[in-house]
Amino acid sequence: NIAQTPAAKTDFSKWKPKIQPQDSAVTAITPSLNAVAVGHVDAGKSTLLGRLLHDTGVVSSHQVEKLAKSASEIGKKSFSYAWLMDQTDEERENGVTVDISVREFSYESREYFILDAPGHYNFVPNMIAGASQADVAIVVLDSLADAFERGFFADGQTKEHALLCRAMGVNHVIIAVNKMDQLKFDQTRFDEISDQMGLFLSKIGYSDVQFVPCSGFTGANIVKKQDISWYHDKTIMATLQGIPSAVSSDENALKLDIFNVKSSFGGVTVSGRLFAGMVQIDQPVVISPGNQVAIVRNIGVDLGSRNFAKAGENVNLSLEAVDGCDLELIKAGDILAQYSDPVRRGNKFRARVTLFDVDLPVLKGTQCDFYRSRVSSVAVFSKLYSLLDKQGNTIKEKPRFVDKGQTAFVELILSDNIALELEKENKHLSRFVLRRDGKTIGFGSVVKVARNPVDTS
Ligand code: GDP
């Protein structure tokens, strides 16, 4: 085990949890549902999500009116709903979502986290990070003449975003066929878009897809059902309600994928999703790859604090350093774990990789970009061990190349040491995406981390 020995001198090996997973206070909690909204720029993501927040009662009409007023002052009236999601002034001026906006709300006794990922071409890494925390993707399509086609064909981002969600292991997809108000809810257009999109989604491995004709602008089929003669299925909100959390509570040791880090008085607050186990007040934890040891002093969940949180929940943890560990060095993309069970770190590992419909095969020495959660690094295929069939059996040893659609067992070397979780420990955290020349070429899972990291200094 190359997991590092924690840096702290204090011995926490005798630390015992006060709260158990089977306690009724713990089992009473339903894990949150995390949704990521994706789509081509201007498809109407922000408007749709703003509408969702308004119609579920999370933001008031008053707030919307206030935003509408300031929007019209700079000549962007129609953007008022979008402003509920786009947070910074700079984003308001530009009308483009830059980083990920997160909105949290509870609806009929369940917590929802909606991540509004940027549609702009340059911000794919943020989208990958969003998808890495998501149970479901809401893919927003502009149904207007040519608009869907612009997003779908050529350099449009629609397919790329769907591929990324698939690559990050997001199992559920909702297709919001948006702006249907402009088309008087024309069934022919809806069917045309659903057919093309459905074909593509099934090709990349999605089977359970809900297509919803909707309008973020009028609110049709977002939360409130629109009376359409040919559509009797669920709204977007009702579809979300029916989706289970991809992270089930389990008895494994705590693992938190750190999404954001903030300095706070006397320490650091990290936020992100718990992908395994429980966290509780006064628990000692260790953060990889920097090996910092800290004590959890406060656990923020929903809109308050609790003395524990469990797998599937999104949390803010206030950390206090132990024995002079420098918590300022913690970065988004690090993994926080139980003190006695740290996550490995390294830059050389064995992985199972599946390639999408790539133009060029992968050879030994091929370089690409590696993404896991909020971490990115340059990766080199240093060894090609074998090609695998769908069941994971070897069909060829030492292949010369890996081609489109193939799955292979390989060794990758990254340019940086990062936190690396094994697939057998945690499927979500072991998952990564590979891209080349701005296109997603495949995905994989870490299977084994090398004992000695490569010295890249
Ligand atoms: P994003 O880039 O995907 O977040 O798109 P926005 O939410 O900023 O919307 C882009 C533009 O489309 C704005 O001018 C919106 O007012 C408009 N829009 C968004 N949703 C709808 C809709 O349902 N119907 C109509 N007619 N226009 C919409």
Side-chain angles (χ1 to χ4, degrees):
N1 187 340
I2 66 144
Q4 299 163 282
T5 324
K9 293 183 201 76
T10 311
D11 179 16
F12 291 111
S13 55
K14 300 215 165 49
W15 181 83
K16 289 256 178 324
K18 290 195 187 76
I19 305 161
Q20 304 300 331
Q22 60 275 15
D23 292 353
S24 59
V26 181
T27 55
I29 306 283
T30 312
S32 338
L33 188 77
N34 285 21
V36 62
V38 301
H40 196 70
V41 66
D42 281 348
K45 279 187 315 293
S46 308
T47 306
L48 188 150
L49 296 178
R51 170 59 75 171
L52 190 72
L53 295 173
H54 177 259
D55 289 359
T56 47
V58 182
V59 294
S60 65
S61 308
H62 176 68
Q63 278 170 295
V64 177
E65 272 162 31
K66 240 171 73 181
L67 285 169
K69 193 158 165 267
S70 30
S72 61
E73 274 161 20
I74 59 163
K76 296 195 165 152
K77 182 142 175 34
S78 66
F79 276 53
S80 59
Y81 276 111
W83 281 22
L84 296 174
M85 293 300 296
D86 294 350
Q87 283 158 344
T88 68
D89 287 345
E90 189 192 344
E91 283 170 348
R92 283 180 190 177
E93 294 284 332
N94 297 331
V96 174
T97 314
V98 178
D99 200 333
I100 295 175
S101 319
V102 185
R103 283 304 296 250
E104 177 186 4
F105 64 99
S106 90
Y107 186 69
E108 299 189 355
S109 62
R110 191 177 187 192
E111 282 301 308
Y112 292 85
F113 261 69
I114 309 271
L115 302 111
D116 182 14
H120 193 281
Y121 168 85
N122 285 333
F123 303 118
V124 166
N126 284 324
M127 211 226 97
I128 294 175
S132 74
Q133 307 247 334
D135 301 300
V136 50
I138 305 171
V139 180
V140 182
L141 302 179
D142 185 337
S143 63
L144 300 185
D146 289 339
F148 165 71
E149 286 74 10
R150 269 201 303 279
F152 190 75
F153 296 109
D155 285 334
Q157 293 292 292
T158 306
K159 282 190 196 166
E160 177 64 18
H161 286 178
L163 266 182
L164 282 173
C165 290
R166 171 82 185 104
M168 283 314 296
V170 180
N171 287 328
H172 297 271
V173 181
I174 300 172
I175 302 291
V177 183
N178 195 32
K179 307 198 186 179
M180 289 291 287
D181 57 311
Q182 285 273 323
L183 301 173
K184 302 196 173 72
F185 289 87
D186 174 28
Q187 185 178 11
T188 314
R189 181 62 173 160
F190 177 78
D191 289 345
E192 183 181 26
I193 292 172
S194 309
D195 288 351
Q196 292 211 38
M197 201 61 206
L199 205 64
F200 175 72
L201 291 171
S202 75
K203 229 167 70 183
I204 63 170
Y206 280 117
S207 49
D208 170 29
V209 181
Q210 180 80 33
F211 291 87
V212 185
C214 62
S215 164
F217 212 65
T218 66
N221 285 336
I222 308 295
V223 178
K224 294 177 191 154
K225 212 155 161 41
Q226 173 86 2
D227 189 15
I228 305 171
S229 61
W230 50 268
Y231 185 83
H232 305 286
D233 217 331
K234 290 181 194 155
T235 61
I236 291 185
M237 192 62 223
T239 311
L240 288 174
Q241 288 181 283
I243 294 171
S245 169
V247 184
S248 56
S249 298
D250 56 45
E251 312 240 333
N252 291 334
L254 158 70
K255 301 275 162 64
L256 172 78
D257 192 14
I258 299 179
F259 204 62
N260 272 317
V261 185
K262 275 198 202 110
S263 290
S264 55
F265 182 71
V268 154
T269 299
V270 297
S271 59
R273 194 168 200 200
L274 286 179
F275 277 102
M278 279 181 60
V279 62
Q280 43 197 292
I281 291 284
D282 297 336
Q283 180 169 359
V285 294
V286 56
I287 294 106
S288 283
N291 204 23
Q292 295 89 356
V293 179
I295 307 270
V296 176
R297 290 302 187 203
N298 188 59
I299 301 174
V301 282
D302 313 343
L303 298 169
S305 293
R306 229 198 270 135
N307 56 357
F308 72 90
K310 72 176 190 182
E313 289 195 277
N314 302 284
V315 295
N316 290 303
L317 304 182
S318 304
L319 304 179
E320 183 187 306
V322 170
D323 294 342
C325 281
D326 189 356
L327 301 187
E328 296 290 331
L329 299 176
I330 298 172
K331 297 181 302 300
D334 289 0
I335 300 176
L336 178 148
Q338 182 169 307
Y339 173 80
S340 56
D341 196 4
V343 167
R344 289 156 183 79
R345 79 154 181 184
N347 66 340
K348 181 171 150 187
F349 58 93
R350 293 182 182 193
R352 206 183 48 255
V353 165
T354 299
L355 295 188
F356 288 131
D357 198 5
V358 290
D359 300 331
L360 292 170
V362 161
L363 309 171
K364 185 176 163 185
T366 293
Q367 198 174 307
C368 60
D369 301 314
F370 168 100
Y371 295 90
R372 191 205 74 74
S373 176
R374 301 210 100 165
V375 184
S376 63
S377 182
V378 173
V380 174
F381 282 84
S382 44
K383 285 181 184 146
L384 308 180
Y385 296 113
S386 55
L387 294 180
L388 309 172
D389 66 13
K390 290 237 169 349
Q391 285 71 42
N393 305 309
T394 302
I395 45 176
K396 184 174 178 158
E397 298 275 4
K398 297 208 172 107
R400 282 205 313 108
F401 58 86
V402 186
D403 212 346
K404 63 177 91 169
Q406 291 184 323
T407 299
F409 191 43
V410 303
E411 181 188 75
L412 292 173
I413 298 180
L414 307 182
S415 53
D416 309 284
N417 278 310
I418 66 166
L420 289 167
E421 178 64 305
L422 304 184
E423 185 180 36
K424 68 171 189 269
E425 307 271 353
N426 193 295
K427 257 166 62 179
H428 286 282
L429 294 171
S430 72
R431 190 92 168 189
F432 59 84
V433 170
L434 298 174
R435 306 186 83 231
R436 188 168 59 188
D437 303 328
K439 284 200 181 114
T440 302
I441 60 166
F443 60 91
S445 294
V446 179
V447 175
K448 187 171 190 240
V449 178
R451 212 159 258 285
N452 302 309
V454 181
D455 185 5
T456 53
S457 60

